[in-house]
Amino acid sequence: MLNIRSLCLAILYFGDATGYEIKKQSTEGDFSHFVVASFGSIYPALARLEADGMVTVREETHPGKPARKVYSITPAGREEFLSALAEPQAPDLFRSEFLLIAVCAQLVTPERMRAAIDLHAAQIREELAHLDAIASHCGDDATRWAVNYGLHCKSQKLAYLEENRDALEAISARAARSREAAE
Amino acid sequence: MLNIRSLCLAILYFGDATGYEIKKQSTEGDFSHFVVASFGSIYPALARLEADGMVTVREETHPGKPARKVYSITPAGREEFLSALAEPQAPDLFRSEFLLIAVCAQLVTPERMRAAIDLHAAQIREELAHLDAIASHCGDDATRWAVNYGLHCKSQKLAYLEENRDALEAISARAARSREAAE
DNA sequence: TAGGCCATGTAACCGGTTACATGATTAG
DNA sequence: CTAATCATGTAACCGGTTACATGGCCTA
């Protein structure tokens, strides 16, 4: 259900858009914290949706600007999306390279561990700043709810990391010391 | 870096294992909350790793039991994994069908919204129980750190959901009422 | 004038999933 | 007797990424 096709329908449900705008919306806009999409998947999906009668296109040519294809959702498209929303949702998907490194704290040098934590913290702060930006100019209640959810989770994540990073670094340092001792 | 190949090396770094055990480890065991892997990806990855000299195999045949191929990591394998760990990690990946539904709270019925929240809460509770199970019989400090990190993030997530679910349901209910009024 | 933004699309590739095929043992 | 667990592997498929191809406008 959370595929590019449904994502396009979701965005078009709230208003007409071009492929370029859909990409922007899903990598920088209101949907960006829980989906991903690239041009290589959006354009084919849009073409497919049109062939299936789920969307219509009109080509706009503003002189001196690249031609743009503006897509509109059709009643059939709305129906398809609504029935996609009606299916029981799959659990959230989470994948973390940082946690793989963390689990391997004994294998990496304390410096590497520290760098990984620093980078991880910086990544979370960036996501937080990004969510703040969305929150600051968003007129939709539901979107704001979702953003606040993300904000809460991520700030908690960062708080835990900052409070417990020493413990993780200590694990790494201890292992490094016993490796030295073994030599 | 967070691909099946590295995952296999990571698990084998901590001890010999069969493909079956690697799968178990990554869907039920210590790695299960931040990676995914299926048989269809593990077995080919292991074959590839052997061809590349990163692991060795020995076939064990216990009478009355299926033959098992036990893999061991080689020094070259350790080296490859360590250099994979040394690369700067990609940010955590998060994808949520629930949040797509949440953002569309105005489009779905209040009942559907409630069901989605209930299911989401149940999914988080399940993940929490799963992490608790790992925590309770895990002898490794780093693994415990990672599990506690997950435990903290997920319990916070659940807390936010429980405190704010009414607001989300209200958005859905309000939209439903105005749809009715429009008729 | 270099780089970024707008704007569309294709093609090769790849990593992974799903389903299938097989089969013995053990616990309920 | 049935279901689960152990155990390995393949093949078809698919969804998506990456890189490529193109090109004009605007800003620093």
Side-chain angles (χ1 to χ4, degrees), chain A residues 18-20 43 66 68-69:
Chain A
T18 66
Y20 190 83
Y43 286 121
R68 40 193 268 133
K69 288 188 174 181

Side-chain angles (χ1 to χ4, degrees), chain A residues 34-96:
Chain A
F34 56 87
V35 295
V36 272
S38 60
F39 286 126
S41 54
I42 289 170
Y43 286 121
L46 248 15
R48 187 71 212 283
L49 281 167
E50 204 216 331
D52 293 348
M54 300 303 162
V55 301
T56 56
V57 214
R58 62 173 190 281
E59 206 142 341
E60 284 183 2
T61 45
H62 299 281
K65 285 200 174 174
R68 40 193 268 133
K69 288 188 174 181
V70 182
Y71 290 87
S72 303
I73 194 166
T74 65
R78 286 182 198 273
E79 212 179 289
E80 177 179 315
F81 181 60
L82 252 24
S83 71
L85 281 187
E87 280 168 36
Q89 83 260 183
D92 288 355
L93 186 72
F94 176 69
R95 205 113 323 151
S96 177

Side-chain angles (χ1 to χ4, degrees), chain A residues 51-152:
Chain A
D52 293 348
M54 300 303 162
V55 301
T56 56
V57 214
R58 62 173 190 281
E59 206 142 341
E60 284 183 2
T61 45
H62 299 281
K65 285 200 174 174
R68 40 193 268 133
K69 288 188 174 181
V70 182
Y71 290 87
S72 303
I73 194 166
T74 65
R78 286 182 198 273
E79 212 179 289
E80 177 179 315
F81 181 60
L82 252 24
S83 71
L85 281 187
E87 280 168 36
Q89 83 260 183
D92 288 355
L93 186 72
F94 176 69
R95 205 113 323 151
S96 177
E97 292 197 4
F98 167 71
L99 283 182
L100 181 59
I101 298 171
V103 163
C104 298
Q106 289 107 323
L107 309 180
V108 301
T109 63
E111 299 81 50
R112 170 62 185 129
M113 195 63 248
R114 196 158 55 76
I117 294 168
D118 287 339
L119 177 56
H120 189 55
Q123 285 164 348
I124 298 169
R125 276 192 212 99
E126 212 169 293
E127 289 166 4
L128 241 19
H130 180 231
L131 285 173
D132 270 327
I134 298 172
S136 68
H137 56 333
C138 131
D140 181 61
D141 288 341
T143 302
R144 203 167 324 106
W145 192 95
V147 169
N148 286 335
Y149 187 62
L151 241 18
H152 180 259

